[in-house]
Amino acid sequence: MPKLPYADGGLDRGGSRRADERWISGLLSEQATVIIPMWRDSCLIDGADRVRQCAPAAADLLAACGQPVFLGVRAEGAVFAADLSELDKPTALSIAGATAAADIRALFAGLSGPDAAALAYAKGMLRWHREQRFCGACGGTTQAGHGGHQRSCQGCGRLLFPRIEPTVITLVTAPPEQGREARCLLARHRGAKPGSFATLAGFVEIGESFEDAVRREVAEETGVTVGEVSYLGSQPWPFPSGIMIGFRSRALTEAIDVDGDELEEARWFTRDQARAANVGQRHDSIEHYLIEDWLSESD
Ligand SMILES: [Zn+2]
């Protein structure tokens, strides 16, 4: 599988150095350092749809966001993210020198691979900070440390680390049989447009392997029993805190019985039918690659 979108920001995350506050503050005084301001999960863009990056000398920005979150160092210099979510939108735009707020996925086609990855990483980290201001054990307030890669509870001392929620995503296939072509199983989710079919996906539960999560999700949603499950690749999906783990899986049964809860319908598609239905067209998603990978094969 090729390098997937959002997967490589070209950043050295400085895992062994970011606990060093002097190192972090030194980076924040370097001219080559950039700070990516964000507002409530959105990028801040200028009139030409360019994502705003600020210099660390932007005193307004630092006063508004508190301590920026360290993302890493790349060839051009260090990269931080700053959260302006506490401000109203006009004030956030003004401080960032921006004219509008926009979602990363809407900007994806115009972003370089490393920039898309860095922005997704920034979005996920800033959301985590906003949602972990209190300790889940004692209710005490938490404080950021280690360049923003941990929070510690001021009440009980518990340490909190950024969490991700794993989701399995799979293309279920039925191999060719005598007189029949290979097929894949695609589903239309509740609320999706008519004719809009997608791969199956679901959250991994506690106490469950990725492979078992694939088998459970496919069975729950479509009634199809899956046997062999093969790992293909993974994709960061910090929208807000996911990672997609991609698999090809092989059906042992073909009868479909949709749950009617998450899915409207599910169908088997030959390669020609899948092409004609124009499936997998979100190019920033691992789903596109799972489907293209299969379409590129021949029986
Ligand atoms: Zn606590």
Side-chain angles (χ1 to χ4, degrees):
M1 186 159 284
K3 188 196 290 182
L4 293 171
Y6 310 120
D8 183 3
L11 290 162
D12 173 351
R13 294 177 176 230
S16 59
R17 301 194 71 184
R18 62 198 181 200
D20 181 348
E21 287 179 21
R22 285 175 56 197
W23 184 66
I24 294 287
S25 61
L27 291 175
L28 277 170
S29 65
E30 287 182 8
Q31 276 200 328
T33 292
V34 295
I35 302 178
I36 302 169
M38 297 189 97
W39 179 77
R40 301 182 195 175
D41 289 333
S42 290
C43 301
L44 299 173
I45 57 176
D46 66 15
D49 280 359
R50 286 177 303 221
V51 175
R52 289 289 301 145
Q53 297 189 345
C54 300
D60 283 3
L61 180 73
L62 293 179
C65 77
Q67 185 71 17
V69 172
F70 169 70
L71 299 181
V73 181
R74 56 186 173 197
E76 301 88 340
V79 184
F80 287 77
D83 197 349
L84 300 179
S85 298
E86 295 277 311
L87 306 175
D88 61 35
K89 190 173 180 180
T91 310
L93 292 177
S94 167
I95 283 180
T99 56
D103 184 71
I104 295 168
R105 296 195 68 194
L107 298 171
F108 176 77
L111 295 171
S112 72
D115 282 351
L119 290 168
Y121 174 25
K123 175 175 175 171
M125 288 296 293
L126 296 180
R127 167 71 87 99
W128 177 74
H129 280 281
R130 285 203 301 281
E131 295 185 346
Q132 299 295 325
R133 289 178 294 173
F134 299 96
C135 174
C138 79
T141 55
T142 65
Q143 190 165 17
H146 288 205
H149 289 260
Q150 72 174 42
R151 297 185 72 87
S152 54
C153 174
Q154 304 305 289
C156 70
R158 185 166 175 253
L159 295 178
L160 309 177
F161 300 95
R163 289 281 183 250
I164 52 174
E165 294 163 358
T167 298
V168 290
I169 180 167
T170 187
L171 187 73
V172 181
T173 61
E177 295 164 353
Q178 205 167 17
R180 297 182 75 191
E181 296 173 51
R183 284 143 291 141
C184 76
L185 179 64
L186 299 171
R188 189 161 68 83
H189 292 81
R190 186 164 287 284
K193 286 184 285 193
S196 177
F197 285 85
T199 47
L200 296 162
F203 287 115
V204 181
E205 296 188 347
I206 288 178
E208 188 174 50
S209 70
F210 293 159
E211 292 82 354
D212 286 344
V214 167
R215 296 189 182 97
R216 176 182 54 75
E217 281 289 343
V218 175
E220 281 177 5
E221 295 187 357
T222 68
V224 170
T225 302
V226 157
E228 184 185 338
V229 174
S230 306
Y231 172 73
L232 288 182
S234 66
Q235 182 187 32
W237 199 250
F239 310 126
S241 54
I243 180 164
M244 307 297 282
I245 307 114
F247 296 88
R248 174 84 65 85
S249 54
R250 196 169 168 129
L252 297 176
T253 64
E254 294 193 32
I256 291 170
D257 177 18
V258 293
D259 63 0
D261 182 19
E262 292 183 51
L263 298 186
E264 296 276 2
E265 60 177 316
R267 277 173 41 193
W268 290 100
F269 288 76
T270 64
R271 290 191 173 88
D272 285 345
Q273 289 168 339
R275 288 188 191 100
N278 218 17
V279 295
Q281 291 306 305
R282 295 297 296 260
H283 285 232
D284 70 337
S285 159
I286 188 172
E287 173 187 67
H288 173 71
Y289 295 89
L290 293 177
I291 292 174
E292 286 296 315
D293 192 47
W294 180 72
L295 288 177
S296 70
E297 297 170 5
S298 54
D299 294 344

